[in-house]
Amino acid sequence: MARESTGGVQSLQRAFDLLERLADAGGEASLSELAAVSGLPLPTIHRLIRTLVTLGYVRQNSNRRYTLGSRLIRLGESASRQFGTWARPFLARLVDQVEETANLAVLDGDEVVYVAQVPSRHSMRMFTEVGRRLLPHGTGVGKAMLSQLPRDEVRALLARTGMPAYTPNTITDPDEFVASLDRIAERGYALDESEQELGVRCVAVPLHGAPTLAAISVSGPDSRLTTDSLSRIVPAVLATATRLTTSTPA
């Protein structure tokens, strides 16, 4: 019995490892590619993958490559909602400090999805809503999160999504964008200078050590988020990010 239990735990660990490897590969890989990155024998991978396919967590394409399955969407959405609910008191405290809207977003596949928000008390409030999905290159939170990834992964993501211009300020050149990520990583925060919506400025900070790639932001009209106000807002967002990451549940 103990031997069967140990084998079951090992199989479970390997199955989750394969899901992680698929995600790291951009959501699609062949059995041989999974064998190369996981170090597991092909028969073991095939057995585990077939089980995951049967359960709906992996699916096989017509080209015989494997992709993440639709049942993971429900799990991911539920986990994101729980993460957002847990983080909301931290965002509320940040809003009390800076008097502008605070957001929490995660990277889901190739998109940014907002999972929590606490609005400011101003009559003119911002600008997105929980559940909204955007491409990361045009958002402060997206740039903050991508600054944490290897640059070849960023370029691969940009190649998949394209870089549409949401405003005249949106960065649409991959080289320029990647260079901006280096500056963001060095200073610890990203700015959205009316790159998603004209007249809106955003300060975003990545959550280092969070259970998934995530970032928090403060957004508001650029008439209120002035250069002078940023000197007060940026430290508050950085401090909130630190509190969130040092308190993040396992």
Side-chain angles (χ1 to χ4, degrees), residues 196-220:
Q196 180 65 41
E197 185 174 346
L198 286 174
V200 178
R201 179 172 282 157
C202 169
V203 180
V205 174
L207 299 185
H208 300 283
T212 187
L213 276 177
I216 59 169
S217 68
V218 164
S219 301

Side-chain angles (χ1 to χ4, degrees), residues 146-230:
L146 293 188
S147 73
Q148 306 304 297
L149 290 177
R151 300 304 182 245
D152 58 342
E153 291 185 23
V154 173
R155 289 184 183 276
L157 182 151
L158 297 175
R160 292 191 298 270
T161 64
M163 301 183 71
Y166 299 111
T167 77
N169 297 328
T170 308
I171 300 174
T172 58
D173 177 77
D175 292 334
E176 181 183 354
F177 184 82
V178 169
S180 75
L181 298 184
D182 294 337
R183 295 190 293 271
I184 291 166
E186 182 177 353
R187 72 189 180 194
Y189 65 92
L191 293 176
D192 168 1
E193 299 279 12
S194 293
E195 296 163 50
Q196 180 65 41
E197 185 174 346
L198 286 174
V200 178
R201 179 172 282 157
C202 169
V203 180
V205 174
L207 299 185
H208 300 283
T212 187
L213 276 177
I216 59 169
S217 68
V218 164
S219 301
D222 54 17
S223 60
R224 291 202 304 258
L225 267 69
T226 62
T227 301
D228 288 342
S229 70
L230 288 180

Side-chain angles (χ1 to χ4, degrees), residues 19 22 26-31 34 48-73:
L19 291 174
L22 267 177
E28 179 179 301
S30 67
L31 289 180
L34 290 172
L48 293 171
I49 285 290
R50 293 314 305 167
T51 300
L52 291 169
V53 168
T54 300
L55 295 172
Y57 296 113
V58 171
R59 63 184 175 87
Q60 187 177 23
N61 289 342
S62 58
N63 62 3
R64 303 188 64 80
R65 292 170 67 83
Y66 292 90
T67 66
L68 296 175
S70 59
R71 288 198 69 179
L72 290 171
I73 296 173

Side-chain angles (χ1 to χ4, degrees), residues 76-77 80-81 83-85 91 101-108 111-118 126-145 192 196-197 200-204 213-219:
E77 289 178 345
S80 293
R81 286 195 298 270
F83 187 31
T85 299
L91 300 181
T101 296
N103 308 283
L104 168 67
V106 300
L107 191 65
D108 182 22
E111 295 178 313
V112 165
V113 57
Y114 290 85
V115 297
Q117 182 184 84
V118 176
M126 294 299 107
F127 294 101
T128 188
E129 62 279 341
V130 172
R132 188 179 183 190
R133 290 175 173 270
L134 296 167
L135 296 181
H137 75 282
T139 67
V141 287
K143 292 194 289 184
M145 287 186 271
D192 168 1
Q196 180 65 41
E197 185 174 346
V200 178
R201 179 172 282 157
C202 169
V203 180
L213 276 177
I216 59 169
S217 68
V218 164
S219 301

